């Protein structure tokens, strides 16, 4: 059998494996059961596609989504690998045709929906083939604990019973421990080797911005990223429509996507986005499942997401190709209120409580001054260093000042009102304004705290209080009507022996004007003009074959071409993402464009070392 590194270059054009891929591939080749838990974009598909190409026989891939299956089959075929898919969209005749292909060994891989696979007829047919591997993709669908349970996945236990000698590899990006055990048991994996990768997505930059003139901020960001693909998530259909329309008027190729649109419009808009005919999709959470587009350069959350799980999943759709990408979230308490109103509509008390708790975590994330990445990974139970240097908290650290005096006033106010009030009330007392009747009835207008913090605006006091909560001086009790309480930690400060450092108030104008940081260091070396030329060529080739451009070559492959200017087939084959078949199919045309450009601009090729396969 060929060596797996050589096969990787030959069939997929990559010279190196991503972390864990090589060991997984080798285990799968050795016939072991394997369980793979890796985040989106970490290259899970290759873990069964490469063994499938190398093994002598057929690999069956179980997948829940038609769009995903089609996407994978298309990209395998572009790489010259025989693959087919069977799902509910096919008629009897087409299925017979695929069966023939399988019987004649023309396909290495079969993608199939679980309900079809587990029918007795089909299992009977499978037995007549030489099946060498089952790959269960999105394996969390098997578990009732998962967020995406699909009853038809339950029947997959029959695979082991029907074909006990065929190894199984199960893959998912869902991290909950209960789900893992469920998967292993339900599929009857035998002594599986378990691979768990970190959920960190090192190429994503996280930013949280105050939601002030969100449209203006978005526009200013987009105008600097006109050619990039991105997703803008909105909470409601209306706002998705509005934002899309305004951006269109501004000259952007932006399309809406939400459950209120007719099915055809939705598929058309999605297709245009995937094929780079529209750069921007403005969507509700209805968009994203089964989107494999690797070159999504930014995800903007125009409105607050309901919980961190959704936020992480949605931001995770950026940068699958591992190039730097931005995740920008606009945060406002107004949005929080809107979500609370939605939660209130639910009748189920337990569900309500969970929803409030999750919303609370989401808010805490936005308010937090600590590294965003550390917070997110911590939420999913993973440790991370204190700083990532790729989020707003790390990139623009705030200046601090000795805030003991104002902290003391805040603590005293909470104490003197008997720790029975929420933040807004406490702030009213501190600035000595508002809540007139209520304050008089309680006699709080007579307190020493009354008006004691009036040198600050209510908004600034809010920032201080939230920071004191973060720092552990103040506790918050109750999710729905949160009440501020004093923690043990503040007794020293109240007694005059401790001090508190707080973030220095920022001048308001500075905050609004400050542009979104542009963290992406788009490979500085690449020649942008040549990259554009290659992109246009890629689009032409993709349209001719009716596949998305990223299937011809991903962005990073074009960037490498525009960095090294390969002038021969041999040099081109050393570029990441150029395998044998693609070299043969498209090499000539790309080389021609590069040569033209180099001639016109007097550019020399930069030789890449390392041997081509
Ligand atoms: P996942 O299923 O884990 O979300 P994918 O299988 O879709 O991830 O892979 C994400 C991207 O990484 C794809 O564009 C894929 O072509 C690319 N990729 C996979 N393996 C490698 C590799 N060894 N080197 C470079 N790119 C890779
Ligand atoms: Zn950070």
């Amino acid at each position: 059998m060929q060596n797996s590194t050589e096969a990787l270059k030959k069939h997929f054009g990559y010279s190196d494996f991503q972390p864990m891929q090589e060991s997984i591939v080798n285990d799968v080749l050795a016939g072991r059961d394997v369980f793979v838990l890796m985040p989106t974009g970490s290259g899970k598909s290759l873990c069964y596609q490469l063994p499938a190409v190398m093994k002598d026989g057929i690999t069956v891939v179980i997948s829940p989504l038609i769009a995903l299956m089609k996407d994978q089959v298309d990209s395998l075929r572009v790489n010259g690998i025989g693959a087919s898919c069977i799902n509910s969209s096919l008629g009897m005749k087409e299925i017979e045709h695929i069966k023939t292909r399988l019987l004649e060994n023309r396909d290495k891989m079969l993608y199939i929906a679980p309900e079809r696979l587990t029918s007795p007829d089909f299992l009977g047919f499978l037995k007549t083939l030489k099946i060498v591997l089952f790959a269960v993709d999105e394996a969390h669908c098997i578990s009732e604990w998962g967020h995406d349970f699909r009853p038809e996945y339950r029947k997959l236990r029959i695979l082991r019973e029907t074909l006990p000698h065929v190894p199984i590899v199960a893959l998912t990006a869902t991290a909950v421990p209960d789900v893992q055990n469920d998967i292993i048991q339900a599929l009857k994996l035998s002594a599986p080797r378990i691979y768990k990768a970190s959920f960190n997505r090192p190429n994503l930059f996280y930013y949280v911005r105050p939601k002030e003139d969100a449209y203006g901020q978005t526009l200013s960001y987009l105008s600097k990223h006109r050619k990039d693909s991105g997703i803008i998530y909105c909470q409601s259909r209306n706002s998705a429509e509005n934002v899309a329309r305004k951006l269109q008027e501004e000259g952007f190729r932006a399309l809406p996507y939400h459950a209120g649109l007719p099915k055809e419009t939705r598929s058309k808009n999605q297709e245009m986005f995937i094929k780079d005919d529209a750069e921007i999709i403005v969507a509700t959470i209805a968009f994203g499942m089964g989107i494999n587009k690797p070159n999504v350069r930014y995800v903007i959350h125009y409105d607050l997401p309901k919980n961190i799980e959704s936020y992480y999943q949605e931001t995770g759709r950026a940068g699958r190709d591992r190039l730097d990408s931005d995740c920008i979230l606009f945060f406002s308490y107004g949005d929080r209120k809107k979500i609370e109103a939605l939660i209130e509509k639910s009748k189920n008390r337990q569900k309500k409580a969970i929803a409030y708790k999750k919303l609370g975590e989401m808010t805490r994330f936005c308010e937090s001054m600590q590294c965003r990445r550390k917070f997110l990974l911590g939420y999913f139970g993973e440790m991370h260093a204190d700083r990532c240097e790729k989020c707003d908290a790390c990139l623009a650290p705030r200046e601090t000042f000795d805030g003991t005096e104002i902290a003391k006033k805040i603590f005293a106010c909470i104490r003197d009102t008997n720790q029975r009030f929420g933040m807004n009330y406490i702030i009213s007392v501190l600035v000595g304004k508002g809540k007139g009747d209520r304050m008089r009835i309680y006699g709080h207008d007579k307190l020493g705290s009354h008006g004691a913090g009036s040198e600050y605006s209510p908004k600034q006091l809010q920032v201080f209080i939230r920071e004191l909560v973060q720092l552990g001086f103040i506790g918050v009790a109750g999710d729905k009507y949160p009440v501020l309480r004093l923690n043990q930690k503040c007794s020293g400060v109240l007694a005059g022996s401790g001090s508190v450092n707080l973030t220095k108030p920022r001048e308001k104008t500075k905050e609004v004007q400050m542009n979104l940081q542009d963290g992406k260091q788009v490979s500085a070396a690449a020649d942008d003009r040549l990259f554009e030329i290659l992109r246009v060529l890629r689009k032409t080739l993709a349209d001719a074959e009716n596949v998305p451009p990223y299937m011809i070559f991903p962005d990073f492959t074009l960037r490498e071409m525009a960095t090294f200017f390969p002038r021969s087939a041999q040099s081109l084959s050393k570029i990441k993402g150029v395998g044998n078949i693609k070299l043969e199919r498209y090499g000539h045309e790309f080389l021609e464009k590069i040569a033209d450009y180099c001639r016109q601009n007097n550019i020399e090729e930069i030789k890449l070392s390392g041997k081509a396969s």
Side-chain angles (χ1 to χ4, degrees), residues 492-505:
V493 180
L494 272 171
S497 59
S499 65
V500 185
N501 267 336
L502 289 174
T503 303
K504 211 172 187 170

Side-chain angles (χ1 to χ4, degrees), residues 196-386:
K196 276 191 215 174
S198 160
F199 270 66
N200 188 14
R201 300 283 310 277
N203 59 320
L204 301 189
F205 285 70
Y206 299 100
Y207 304 96
V208 179
R209 311 288 313 156
K211 193 172 179 180
E212 286 160 20
D213 187 18
Y215 184 71
Q217 293 195 59
T218 304
L219 210 53
S220 111
Y221 178 84
L222 295 181
S223 57
K224 282 187 258 146
H225 299 88
R226 282 203 169 258
K227 295 204 166 119
D228 289 346
S229 289
I231 308 174
I232 301 178
Y233 277 110
C234 298
Q235 204 56 257
S236 74
R237 297 173 185 186
N238 259 343
S239 88
E241 287 281 348
N242 283 339
V243 174
R245 204 194 49 248
K246 282 203 275 182
L247 290 175
Q248 284 166 4
E249 286 164 8
E250 214 69 57
F252 288 95
R253 296 197 294 178
L255 296 171
Y257 188 106
H258 57 74
L261 290 170
K263 199 162 164 239
E264 306 79 65
T265 315
R266 260 184 291 157
S267 340
K268 197 183 105 238
N269 290 359
Q270 172 168 328
E271 174 117 353
M272 286 185 70
F273 177 64
I274 286 175
K275 292 197 167 165
D276 291 349
D277 289 317
E279 277 74 34
I280 307 169
I281 201 105
V282 190
T284 59
I285 50 167
F287 180 79
M289 268 294 259
I291 302 294
N292 243 346
K293 190 177 166 64
N295 59 334
V296 174
R297 290 276 74 82
Y298 57 86
V299 168
I300 296 179
H301 280 89
Y302 205 81
D303 303 307
L304 183 69
K306 293 188 177 110
N307 53 53
I308 296 204
E309 283 88 340
S310 321
Y311 170 72
Y312 205 65
Q313 189 173 38
E314 285 147 18
T315 52
R317 293 182 180 131
R320 270 172 178 257
D321 55 10
R322 281 178 291 278
L323 295 181
D324 286 351
S325 310
D326 292 331
C327 307
I328 300 161
L329 184 159
F330 293 116
F331 172 63
S332 77
Y333 291 100
D335 278 352
R336 193 196 143 111
K337 284 244 146 47
K338 283 186 202 157
I339 299 176
E340 283 174 354
L342 288 177
I343 297 177
E344 273 309 308
K345 284 188 187 151
S346 159
K347 298 237 153 32
N348 182 324
R349 269 181 56 200
Q350 196 192 353
K351 267 199 186 149
K352 244 174 162 165
I354 294 174
Y356 269 115
K357 198 171 153 59
K358 292 199 183 267
L359 180 60
E361 295 283 358
M362 190 68 231
T363 315
R364 224 158 57 72
F365 169 74
C366 297
E367 291 169 340
S368 167
M369 322 233 170
Q370 64 162 292
C371 169
R372 308 279 177 203
R373 182 169 267 100
K374 183 180 162 79
F375 187 107
L376 289 168
L377 291 172
Y379 182 82
F380 294 113
E382 217 179 286
M383 298 278 280
H384 189 272
D386 282 344

Side-chain angles (χ1 to χ4, degrees), residues 8 14 16-18 21 38-46 72 292 294 320-322 554 556 576:
L8 178 70
Y14 302 133
D16 328 280
F17 283 102
Q18 289 301 315
Q21 275 181 339
M38 300 204 302
T40 310
S42 50
K44 286 190 288 298
S45 334
L46 194 111
Q72 294 220 354
N292 243 346
R320 270 172 178 257
D321 55 10
R322 281 178 291 278
F556 57 72
K576 183 162 131 190

Side-chain angles (χ1 to χ4, degrees), residues 42-53:
S42 50
K44 286 190 288 298
S45 334
L46 194 111
C47 298
Y48 52 84
Q49 288 174 344
L50 184 59
V53 187

Side-chain angles (χ1 to χ4, degrees), residues 370-374 386-395:
Q370 64 162 292
C371 169
R372 308 279 177 203
R373 182 169 267 100
K374 183 180 162 79
D386 282 344
R387 299 173 60 84
C388 74
E389 308 301 348
K390 285 184 172 183
C391 72
D392 55 345
C394 290
L395 290 170

